[in-house]
Amino acid sequence: FSPCLQKNEQLFKENPQEFVRFDKESSDTPSPRKSAQELLRAMVLQFKTPFMQFCSDFIDCKRQSSAGTDDEWKCKVAAINLALEIGRVEKCVDFMNFLAKQVLPELQERNMAMRPLVKAASIKFVFFLHDRFRDLLGFILYLLVAHLGSKDVVVHTYAAQAIEKILSCNVSSGDPGTTPNNPVIGNMELKIVF
């Protein structure tokens, strides 16, 4: 796997606050990650259909080839990050299947110490693409609240940020299906506050 992933893993473990700061800043400053994101965006915009098929095949291949190995979690992180970047560029892609098969199982895992980098990537995926999963927001919020208790600084920080983002977008959107008047989200907000 790439030196970038190894550096991220080391930073995640040794200096989680710096990891969070770097992750936020890397979207604004020149870096290998930023260059890769820009290349991915250009590929999606220029060669949408064949590139989307390539990415889908790549994710499936990586997932299958790494199943049961020590590198499995690294493949999951790569797959989630790839899907996230595609989702940020291409608004018409349906990620419900990916959410169900890759992201939700990680968020449902009760052992908070298991695969924390995958959990962080999963939370980040939900943070940026939550507007595509409106019917599941109550359930997603429920899962995110559990991650507030994680001992990993990055995981509980990302969970708090995702909860705040989802709740603030729902309140300000004015969409009657997603405001706090919605019983699922309204009740969830009360459980979070109290």
Side-chain angles (χ1 to χ4, degrees):
F1 279 88
S2 72
C4 186
L5 183 59
Q6 291 170 350
K7 181 181 174 188
N8 282 351
E9 180 183 5
Q10 183 179 2
L11 196 58
F12 185 94
K13 290 177 181 175
E14 294 174 6
N15 194 347
Q17 292 86 356
E18 184 67 16
F19 179 92
V20 172
R21 188 186 68 73
F22 176 76
D23 196 32
K24 284 194 172 291
E25 286 183 2
S26 69
S27 62
D28 299 329
T29 58
S31 68
R33 176 189 282 175
K34 177 75 171 168
S35 298
Q37 290 170 340
E38 289 174 5
L39 176 63
L40 181 67
R41 286 187 179 126
M43 296 294 286
V44 169
L45 293 173
Q46 292 295 319
F47 310 104
K48 182 179 174 181
T49 304
F51 189 69
M52 297 296 283
Q53 185 59 51
F54 169 79
C55 289
S56 177
D57 293 346
F58 176 79
I59 289 170
D60 289 342
C61 180
K62 279 294 193 187
R63 206 177 69 238
Q64 291 170 2
S65 69
S66 67
T69 69
D70 291 340
D71 288 338
E72 182 175 14
W73 72 268
K74 293 176 183 177
C75 288
K76 281 192 106 164
V77 169
I80 291 169
N81 286 332
L82 178 61
L84 171 60
E85 290 307 318
I86 291 170
R88 292 172 80 176
V89 175
E90 184 52 54
K91 304 296 184 206
C92 298
V93 177
D94 179 15
F95 282 103
M96 195 59 78
N97 190 33
F98 187 83
L99 177 79
K101 289 185 177 179
Q102 299 299 319
V103 176
L104 289 181
E106 288 302 323
L107 296 179
Q108 289 173 309
E109 172 63 50
R110 297 243 186 241
N111 182 352
M112 293 295 158
M114 183 177 271
R115 297 181 303 276
L117 268 166
V118 181
K119 289 187 187 328
S122 298
I123 294 169
K124 189 174 168 183
F125 180 87
V126 169
F127 176 88
F128 283 105
L129 302 180
H130 68 276
D131 58 327
R132 301 193 189 187
F133 314 119
R134 290 179 185 255
D135 293 343
L136 294 174
L137 284 182
F139 180 61
I140 290 170
L141 283 169
Y142 172 78
L143 296 175
L144 291 172
V145 168
H147 288 81
L148 292 174
S150 173
K151 291 182 181 181
D152 287 293
V153 172
V154 176
V155 172
H156 69 245
T157 300
Y158 281 12
Q161 291 171 344
I163 291 167
E164 178 185 25
K165 174 83 169 184
I166 291 169
L167 292 178
S168 67
C169 286
N170 288 329
V171 170
S172 66
S173 73
D175 179 354
T178 59
T179 62
N181 296 330
N182 178 318
V184 174
I185 293 178
N187 290 339
M188 183 56 63
E189 279 188 89
L190 291 176
K191 289 178 185 175
I192 292 168
V193 174
F194 299 105

